[in-house]
Amino acid sequence: MMNKRHIRKPLRLLFFICCFLFSVAQFSCVDFDDTTPPVTATVQLVRPDAFVNMDDMSGLTVTLQSEDAIVTATSDASGRVVVSDLAPGTYNVSLSSTISHSQYEQYTGQTVGGAIDFILTGTLNQQALSQDNTLSLQLMVYPKETLIIGKIYSSNSKIAGGTYAIGKYIELYNNSEDSVDAAGLYIGLLETESTIAYPVYPYSDAITPDTLHMKQVFRIPDEKPVMVAPGASLLLVNSAIDHSSQNEYERDLRDADFEAKDVNKKIPNNNDVPALELLYSTYASISCMNLGQGGPGAVALFRTDEDVTNWPTVYAYGKTKGNRFLRVPKNTVIDGVDVLKNKAQTGPDINSKRLFEEIDAAYTFVNSTSGTTGERLVRKTLSITADGRKVLQDTNNSLNDFLCTDTISPRNYLLP
C-alpha cells in the first residue's frame, strides 16, 4: 500500500503549476491598447468688440491648466490656437496679455488720455476635454489698475483648545510707478449666503448684470491724503496688535495702516491705529471685517463720488425678509478677488462665484477645506524693476495671479 505522505507532494506541485498557468493566461488577456488616447484642443480667440483695427492676433499665449498639468500655446494671425497631445481631463483655459497705451489706441481707433496700459484677458472655466474639442474664447480689455488687492488673510489658525480668528487682514498694493492717493477708497465684502443671494455664475445667467451685492462696505477716511508709494502697501486689519505669540502662522500687526474697530469690544483694538470707516453692514452686531474662514469671501475695491449710504439695499433674490445687501454698481469697481470654498471631494465650488468675469475672470482659494490652517492668499510677483520695485502679477484672473501660503508676512512678496 502506497504511503499517503508521498502522494501529497506531487499533488501540491501540480496545484502550483496550475495556478501559475492560470495567472499567465489571465495576464496574457490584458488589452494594453485599451488606453485613453490624447486629445487636441483648438481655441479660437474672439477679439473685443472695441478692437476694430486688430487684424493680427498672432503671438497671444493661451494657458490650459488642469490639476495635473499646465500647458501653453500661442495663437496664429487669425487668433487660432491648437494644442495637441493633451491628456484628457478638466481644464481652465485662460489668456492674459498686457496691451500698451499706443496699441490700445491703434486697435480701437480712439484717443485715450494718460499713458496707462491695458489688460487683454479671457477665461473658460472647467472645460471637460475627453475628445477633440474646439473652444471659443471671448477676450475682454480693461485698464491696468494701480492700487490692487495684494493679500487676503481670512483663514483661522489652530491654537490650544480651539482656533484663532482675530488676526485677519487685507493688504492693498500700489502696483504702479507713481504714488497713489487711497483716501476715499471703498472696500466691499460680498455676500456669503449659503444659498447665493444673487448668483452671477455663469455670467450669461446673472440676475443683476450691473450690480454687486455687498454684506459690508468700509472706506479709507478722506479727510486728508493717504499716499501709497510705488511698491508699497496699505495694511487693513481687524486687530492691530501683536498676534505672533499665538502660533507660527499669526503676525505682529501693530504697524497696520487702518483698523476695523469692533464696537462690541470682543476683539482687541489699537487706539494708535486709525479706524476704517464702516458705512454698511448686513449684520448689526458685526463692525469688523467679516472675512469668513476658507471662503467664500469675495473682496472688491471701488471708488465713487456718490453717497453710498443712499444706495438701495435688497433682500436675497426672491425673498421678502432676512438679510439685506447693499447694491454696488459694477462700473465703480477697480479690482476684485473671488475667494471660493474648497470642498474636500469636489474642489473649489465654481457655482458660488460672486464676481463678474470682467472683475475676476476666475477665482482663488485656500488649500485647507476647513480654513483653519493659517493659509493666506498672496499675489504673485511678476518682475522686479531696475530700482528694486516688485511688480505684482495682475491678469484679472485670480487663479493665475495668487498663490496660497502660510508663511509670507504682511508687506512681503515672493521673488518672481
Side-chain angles (χ1 to χ4, degrees), residues 338-358:
D338 227 332
V339 181
L340 302 188
K341 175 72 174 177
N342 191 19
K343 296 186 175 181
Q345 302 300 322
T346 57
D349 182 9
I350 63 172
N351 292 313
S352 66
K353 185 170 168 57
R354 262 70 174 184
L355 293 176
F356 297 101
E357 290 183 354
E358 57 265 49

Side-chain angles (χ1 to χ4, degrees), residues 31-74:
D31 183 3
F32 289 101
D33 292 330
D34 188 22
T35 58
T36 306
V39 300
T40 296
T42 301
V43 182
Q44 180 60 56
L45 305 180
V46 181
R47 61 176 60 84
D49 292 339
F51 279 19
V52 293
N53 299 326
M54 190 181 190
D55 299 321
D56 185 355
M57 298 183 69
S58 61
L60 296 173
T61 300
V62 170
T63 300
L64 291 86
Q65 181 174 356
S66 69
E67 289 186 356
D68 303 315
I70 299 177
V71 181
T72 60
T74 56

Side-chain angles (χ1 to χ4, degrees), residues 152-158 164 169 247-251 366 368 370-377 404-408:
I152 299 174
Y153 180 38
S154 59
S155 294
N156 295 351
S157 61
K158 294 179 181 179
Y164 193 76
Y169 60 85
N247 52 47
E248 62 184 300
Y249 307 111
E250 300 298 333
R251 300 291 184 263
V366 296
S368 168
S370 67
T372 59
T373 57
E375 293 175 319
R376 60 216 70 198
L377 297 165
C404 176
T405 176
D406 59 9
T407 59
I408 299 177

Side-chain angles (χ1 to χ4, degrees), residues 34-320:
D34 188 22
T35 58
T36 306
V39 300
T40 296
T42 301
V43 182
Q44 180 60 56
L45 305 180
V46 181
R47 61 176 60 84
D49 292 339
F51 279 19
V52 293
N53 299 326
M54 190 181 190
D55 299 321
D56 185 355
M57 298 183 69
S58 61
L60 296 173
T61 300
V62 170
T63 300
L64 291 86
Q65 181 174 356
S66 69
E67 289 186 356
D68 303 315
I70 299 177
V71 181
T72 60
T74 56
S75 60
D76 63 17
S78 67
R80 186 168 177 264
V81 181
V82 179
V83 185
S84 56
D85 294 326
L86 197 64
T90 300
Y91 289 82
N92 291 320
V93 183
S94 63
L95 177 148
S96 182
S97 179
T98 299
I99 302 296
S100 69
H101 176 264
S102 59
Q103 285 177 309
Y104 183 87
E105 291 190 335
Q106 174 189 340
Y107 294 153
T108 62
Q110 303 171 2
T111 300
V112 182
I116 62 171
D117 290 337
F118 292 78
I119 297 291
L120 183 66
T121 184
T123 296
L124 295 170
N125 291 318
Q126 300 292 297
Q127 300 297 303
L129 303 180
S130 57
Q131 57 186 358
D132 291 355
N133 295 79
T134 298
L135 306 173
S136 179
L137 181 57
Q138 176 65 56
L139 302 182
M140 299 175 290
V141 63
Y142 72 100
K144 195 170 186 178
E145 299 299 341
T146 55
L147 203 59
I148 58 177
I149 299 167
K151 289 194 190 79
I152 299 174
Y153 180 38
S154 59
S155 294
N156 295 351
S157 61
K158 294 179 181 179
I159 56 175
T163 58
Y164 193 76
I166 65 175
K168 301 180 180 184
Y169 60 85
I170 296 172
E171 185 172 313
L172 311 183
Y173 186 85
N174 181 2
N175 212 31
S176 73
E177 59 185 16
D178 300 310
S179 293
V180 175
D181 186 2
L185 180 69
Y186 293 87
I187 301 93
L189 307 183
L190 276 79
E191 61 85 13
T192 50
E193 303 287 278
S194 56
T195 299
I196 303 174
Y198 286 87
V200 298
Y201 189 91
Y203 174 66
S204 58
D205 292 338
I207 295 169
T208 56
D210 298 320
T211 56
L212 302 175
H213 297 79
M214 307 285 190
K215 65 180 179 181
Q216 286 184 310
V217 171
F218 296 86
R219 182 175 65 179
I220 295 174
D222 62 353
E223 293 87 4
K224 60 182 181 180
V226 180
M227 303 306 297
V228 186
S233 298
L234 271 183
L235 186 58
L236 316 177
V237 307
N238 278 340
S239 178
I241 66 171
D242 185 358
H243 305 271
S244 61
S245 62
Q246 298 297 325
N247 52 47
E248 62 184 300
Y249 307 111
E250 300 298 333
R251 300 291 184 263
D252 185 350
L253 302 180
R254 287 175 294 179
D255 70 337
D257 296 287
F258 293 96
E259 183 182 57
K261 307 291 185 180
D262 180 18
V263 296
N264 294 316
K265 309 298 183 182
K266 293 181 179 180
I267 295 177
N269 290 141
N270 186 338
N271 292 332
D272 294 330
V273 176
L276 273 178
E277 298 175 354
L278 176 62
L279 299 186
Y280 180 78
S281 181
T282 294
Y283 318 107
S285 61
I286 301 177
S287 59
C288 58
M289 292 185 291
N290 186 228
L291 296 166
Q293 68 186 61
V299 180
L301 307 181
F302 66 98
R303 284 191 183 275
T304 180
D305 292 329
E306 298 181 22
D307 183 354
V308 302
T309 61
N310 291 330
W311 286 353
T313 62
V314 290
Y315 295 114
Y317 180 69
K319 293 187 177 182
T320 57

